[in-house]
Amino acid sequence: MQTSIIGYPRIGNLRELKFASEKYFRGEITAAELEKTAKDIRLYNLGLQKKSGLDFIPSNDFSYYDGVLDTAFLLNAVPVRYTALGLSGLDTYFAAARGYQGEKGDVKALAMKKWYNTNYHYMVPEIDDSTEIKLVGTKPFELFSEALGSGVKTRPVIVGAYTFLKLARYKGSRKASDFIASTADAYSELLKKFGSLGAEWVQFDEPSLVMDMTADDIRLFTALYEKILHDKGGVKVLVQTYFGDVRDCYNELCGLDIDGIGLDLTEGKRSLELVKKNGFPQGKTLFAGVVNGKNIWRCNYASALVTLSELEKLAHDIVINTSCSLLHVPCTLANETRLGEFYKKHFAYAEEKLTELAELKRITASSCPTETEEYRRNAALHSKPRDGGNEAVRKKVAALTEKDFVRLPGFAERERIQKERFRLPLFPTTTIGSFPQTADVKAKRSAYRKGEISDSDYEFFIEKKIAECIALQEEIGLDVLVHGEFERNDMVEYFGECLDGYLFTEKAWVQSYGTRCVKPPVIWGDISRAKPMTVKWSVYAQSLTDKPMKGMLTGPVTILNWSFPREDISLRESALQIALAIREEVLDLEANGISIIQVDEAALREKLPLRRSDWREDYLDWAIPAFRYVHSGVKPETQIHTHMCYSEFADIIRDIDDMDADVITFEASRSDLTILDVLRENDFRTEVGPGVYDIHSPRVPSKDEIKAAVSKMRERIPAEKLWINPDCGLKTRGNEETVPSLKNLVNAAKEARNENC
Ligand code: GLN
Ligand code: ZN
């Protein structure tokens, strides 16, 4: 059997692309220097893949920011507001990705959305009635030729036509089906061009095929492909799916004149069953995703082999593949110097997954697979239970009953008690938690980690930053303050480091969006709280001000979703274990005089199953209770906030209200405000702070712009339920944008108050 991957991480082993891009944004290096860094990363990755013996090596999996955005540029689906700026090609691209504010104009970025059920985010292409889809870009061809020049014939990867049209946002009256002909023509032309360049295969990524599909969706999909495949230009086509199974279109997919079908046999609950039930078409290659592309545990060869041998009975030509792009795992274990061998032997990052593929290839080629050295070593690794069990925690989780998940008294009574207690002005202003993590903060934290400064020096520094942050917020005039989260590298990793049962890594960075990377901690054993994690900082911060200071925690579902999860116990079990620990922290904060506690569930939606039929049972039925358990023990006068990094919750609106928080802040500035209508229609009970400006972009929103947003909110939300805040934490921004933006925000709120009277 041959081997293949769907894509490789592009940020570089040590995040070289991130650092170079950020230097470029600051004007510290030229475009040519950035391009050189990018090329070095690509060639390095190619070399690794070649050396590993991988048979199908992808190209065009590289991107300066995001692959969907690349596809929009490839297909001429770029709003004129960006092209009209008159910037260079690269800068036009970055303007669409990040927004642009400068001498040539002032435009916001395209909307950004979560990539299926991952923590990666893509830029949402905008299509309006004037959009003319045609092949205008050259990047995939250049990258193919670049790889060919270095001796590797790659398989170019392109976001597929169906997925592209499904992900786009339609601004005018035309819809996806109106773009079938032009899109299919562009993809056909692309195939022909690759044919003439000497490509043997092209991979179209079609993850949207694993979503619930309507009859219209299926028609869109088949219409596109029938047209695209009319003349393949001598190139073989692989339609690659991932993140689930293709139960709605398996037969249509098999019926297409394509040469390879990529199925996810890790997350695709029904993938194997589909092949067994319906068979697999003769003459096509099955790319079998048996090596998990999302998690960092070593593949269990025994179970991979079982799947492969089942498939072998049904398909003649099987290629061993990863379940999805390796974009979602860190690059290499080589830079994990602190994690002991005891743990490390259980791990496989991208580079190690290449080795696993090579091993699986050797094993499957052997006449006696289970006798091979590789197989035996792997079987030995998986045969012993790992350490890290905590009987007490398991017992507590098992003993939870219905009433543990209910906070009393009910919402309305609490709202009354809290209004009385806090006496906040109408439209209270607040922020989401973090303040800019300036160079001095990062340097101190890094020095502290390396042991270069003492505990007391570090604490003194953090206290100084907290004091400055509070003084700043008081000067700006915010109503509910935060301590700034300077002690935190990341909202999940910080808690991972404080909790027992977690392992943390040094260099396990994964791209989240653009140049932003995250380093998810690893859940190794049962989770418990050894000691208070945030109380000291919150109490110190509260001691410096008379205004309410929010205690700031990350919720159990987000901690779980932004960690690499265990595979030996259920997600539900892990979530409840974490909830136990966070609840202890909530109660400690309350006992120490913190009156408002924000429990962020930034990633609540992240692992919502892609298919609606799986939502309740596989997810919401435990995720919402896990959050409720965290705060069900607080007093009525303690105000519980939560925050979410997106506003797509129209479809789970009841569940969000059911989390029973007192206040929720969420992202709303990049999306249209339809969510506000949904809140109103559903009589949303929780008080709300829809973000009034986008913190992901380096722009400073004017007071009038913020006021306009507030007015729109006012039309839809009862005044006494509306909070005013940015749409997310400020840590990725600089003070130069943050301070004027918050001043404008407070002034906008004041004017809105006056107008309301
Ligand atoms: N409290 C966190 C912060 O402000 C929330 C971050 C987030 O929502 N991603 O950084
Ligand atoms: Zn957020």
Side-chain angles (χ1 to χ4, degrees), residues 560-575:
L560 175 67
N561 285 350
W562 281 350
S563 302
F564 288 113
R566 287 165 71 169
E567 288 172 354
D568 57 337
I569 65 170
S570 68
L571 292 177
R572 173 186 179 277
E573 178 84 15
S574 272

Side-chain angles (χ1 to χ4, degrees), residues 11-73:
I11 52 174
N13 284 357
L14 297 168
R15 289 180 295 162
E16 291 86 348
L17 185 64
K18 168 198 172 70
F19 296 119
S21 305
E22 288 173 352
K23 279 192 187 142
Y24 177 68
F25 299 154
R26 292 193 298 263
E28 292 165 16
I29 61 169
T30 62
E33 287 168 301
L34 172 59
E35 279 155 15
K36 163 90 173 50
T37 303
K39 183 170 178 181
D40 288 348
I41 293 173
R42 290 194 297 265
L43 294 184
Y44 175 84
N45 290 348
L46 271 182
L48 268 186
Q49 292 171 59
K50 191 173 172 194
K51 209 172 91 211
S52 78
L54 185 67
D55 297 300
F56 290 90
I57 299 181
S59 63
N60 197 44
D61 49 347
F62 174 84
S63 174
Y64 278 109
Y65 206 90
D66 164 53
V68 179
L69 184 63
D70 294 356
T71 315
F73 274 80

